[in-house]
Amino acid sequence: MTTGETDLTPVRLRRARSAIAAVFCAHGAVTGSFATRIPWIQEHAGLGAGSLGLALAFPALGAALAMPLAGRINHRFGARTALRGLLALWTLSLALPSLAPDLAALCCALFVYGATSGMADVAMNALGVETEDRLGRSIMSSLHGMWSVGALIGSAAGTVAAHTGTDARPHHLIAALLLTTAGLFAVRGVLDPRGDAEAEAPPHFTLPPKSALLIGVVGFCAVFAEGAGLDWSAVYLRDVLHTDAGLAAASTTAFALTMAVARLVGDRVVDRFGPVRTVRAGGLLATAGGLSVVVVRQPAGALAGFALIGLGIAVVVPLAFAAAARSGPAPAQAIAGVATITYTSGLIAPSAIGAVADATSLVVSFGLVTLLAFALVAGAAVLRRRPAGGEGGGPANRDEPAAIRP
């Protein structure tokens, strides 16, 4: 049960919602800024494809190891102060990878980059769920949509910088300072809930709580499909369907855009139908998309299929974080557990798809993605709304459309 800021006016709540949305946007902008300069970083550090692949595993490793610490930090400093510090560390870490002169330095930089990303991710999602509970309506999907908007903004700026031949070191330093300033300004407006002062502090490091495991499995399936779609859709069109590079790239764009748009409008769907029915329907859409990719074997069918996969899985991770936060008395710890599982999925998905493709074919790989998409239909029930902290009451505690809640 949280205390603090109990007398919240509707205007204050709307401002808090806008503030946490801006935080999500700033977090996403860091990712977009980094991703577009990976070729520059690779050339600067003198890395081959294999060495770069090794280095790019370190952000997920750092995140997976550091995220369980976020609950302790939240308890020690309070939600708003913890988010302020962790978000600043994350935005400033953007400057590190481009400074790395070799593989060892880049691995260390990316480990820090991933660790700060993961801890800030846990802190902002915990506050997002708190804000959602205070508002009494779904906002987590649109918050993750704002993350996607931030990633698009960061990648657009990075694309311009790369096109003009700008050195990534000043680009990332300037971007880091701007995003840190914007993030700190945004954090001033977020809620500042306080946990029970007499509650026992969470351990410094712990495995994901049992309450988060099944929720994490659902998130795992969605993130696996997301990683496969983002990293392998263009390769699928090029190698399996023999399209040109432009059309192949369009598949990734279709996938990313449908995810972003679905997240921005997903809260209305969740409020109308509830998280369980929404995820079941999404799982069916993603399964239909996977079947279109695997069976149709035409560019138009593949493009439509990847778009449907993106549409179907878009709201799963936001709903998984929300369900985790309400699954027990320690929201940040449960979110960290689910985030650890989903980050692991994001880490293994690209290589798993490649391994299956090497042993069989990319068609079989996306058959696996289709099966995992269908698993969302079966696993959706674990996302059923429960009282925050395991207690009763509250308008968002049932998996019912908002219009018929008492």
Side-chain angles (χ1 to χ4, degrees), residues 81 119 133 239 289 325 347 390:
T81 301
M119 290 189 291
D133 286 341
D239 292 354
L347 174 63

PDB file of all heavy atoms in Angstrom, residues 81 119 133 239 289 325 347 390:
ATOM      1  N   THR A  81      12.698  10.252  -6.415  1.00  0.00           N
ATOM      2  CA  THR A  81      14.148  10.462  -6.326  1.00  0.00           C
ATOM      3  C   THR A  81      14.902   9.351  -7.024  1.00  0.00           C
ATOM      4  O   THR A  81      15.895   9.599  -7.723  1.00  0.00           O
ATOM      5  CB  THR A  81      14.574  10.560  -4.858  1.00  0.00           C
ATOM      6  OG1 THR A  81      13.879  11.641  -4.232  1.00  0.00           O
ATOM      7  CG2 THR A  81      16.074  10.793  -4.734  1.00  0.00           C
ATOM      8  N   MET A 119      17.439  -0.440 -14.904  1.00  0.00           N
ATOM      9  CA  MET A 119      16.983   0.082 -13.615  1.00  0.00           C
ATOM     10  C   MET A 119      16.032   1.265 -13.809  1.00  0.00           C
ATOM     11  O   MET A 119      15.028   1.375 -13.106  1.00  0.00           O
ATOM     12  CB  MET A 119      18.180   0.467 -12.751  1.00  0.00           C
ATOM     13  CG  MET A 119      18.971  -0.730 -12.256  1.00  0.00           C
ATOM     14  SD  MET A 119      20.215  -0.309 -11.024  1.00  0.00           S
ATOM     15  CE  MET A 119      21.388   0.618 -12.029  1.00  0.00           C
ATOM     16  N   ASP A 133      -3.170   3.479 -11.542  1.00  0.00           N
ATOM     17  CA  ASP A 133      -4.080   3.136 -10.451  1.00  0.00           C
ATOM     18  C   ASP A 133      -4.776   4.376  -9.897  1.00  0.00           C
ATOM     19  O   ASP A 133      -5.967   4.344  -9.576  1.00  0.00           O
ATOM     20  CB  ASP A 133      -3.311   2.433  -9.332  1.00  0.00           C
ATOM     21  CG  ASP A 133      -2.937   1.005  -9.695  1.00  0.00           C
ATOM     22  OD1 ASP A 133      -3.559   0.446 -10.615  1.00  0.00           O
ATOM     23  OD2 ASP A 133      -2.009   0.456  -9.063  1.00  0.00           O
ATOM     24  N   ASP A 239      15.863 -12.915 -48.312  1.00  0.00           N
ATOM     25  CA  ASP A 239      16.435 -14.243 -48.551  1.00  0.00           C
ATOM     26  C   ASP A 239      15.401 -15.288 -48.931  1.00  0.00           C
ATOM     27  O   ASP A 239      15.698 -16.216 -49.697  1.00  0.00           O
ATOM     28  CB  ASP A 239      17.194 -14.716 -47.302  1.00  0.00           C
ATOM     29  CG  ASP A 239      18.444 -13.898 -47.039  1.00  0.00           C
ATOM     30  OD1 ASP A 239      18.785 -13.046 -47.892  1.00  0.00           O
ATOM     31  OD2 ASP A 239      19.070 -14.085 -45.982  1.00  0.00           O
ATOM     32  N   GLY A 289      -0.915 -13.343 -38.374  1.00  0.00           N
ATOM     33  CA  GLY A 289       0.199 -12.718 -39.066  1.00  0.00           C
ATOM     34  C   GLY A 289       1.334 -13.684 -39.316  1.00  0.00           C
ATOM     35  O   GLY A 289       1.921 -13.720 -40.409  1.00  0.00           O
ATOM     36  N   ALA A 325       3.086  -5.475 -11.279  1.00  0.00           N
ATOM     37  CA  ALA A 325       3.047  -4.506 -10.186  1.00  0.00           C
ATOM     38  C   ALA A 325       1.916  -4.787  -9.211  1.00  0.00           C
ATOM     39  O   ALA A 325       2.014  -4.443  -8.034  1.00  0.00           O
ATOM     40  CB  ALA A 325       2.904  -3.092 -10.744  1.00  0.00           C
ATOM     41  N   LEU A 347      17.287 -10.911 -25.612  1.00  0.00           N
ATOM     42  CA  LEU A 347      18.679 -11.289 -25.832  1.00  0.00           C
ATOM     43  C   LEU A 347      18.796 -12.534 -26.697  1.00  0.00           C
ATOM     44  O   LEU A 347      19.625 -12.601 -27.610  1.00  0.00           O
ATOM     45  CB  LEU A 347      19.359 -11.526 -24.476  1.00  0.00           C
ATOM     46  CG  LEU A 347      20.785 -12.076 -24.489  1.00  0.00           C
ATOM     47  CD1 LEU A 347      21.738 -11.088 -25.163  1.00  0.00           C
ATOM     48  CD2 LEU A 347      21.253 -12.383 -23.070  1.00  0.00           C
ATOM     49  N   GLY A 390      -1.952  -6.649  -3.934  1.00  0.00           N
ATOM     50  CA  GLY A 390      -2.648  -7.817  -3.437  1.00  0.00           C
ATOM     51  C   GLY A 390      -3.804  -7.505  -2.510  1.00  0.00           C
ATOM     52  O   GLY A 390      -4.337  -8.373  -1.855  1.00  0.00           O
TER      53      GLY A 390
END
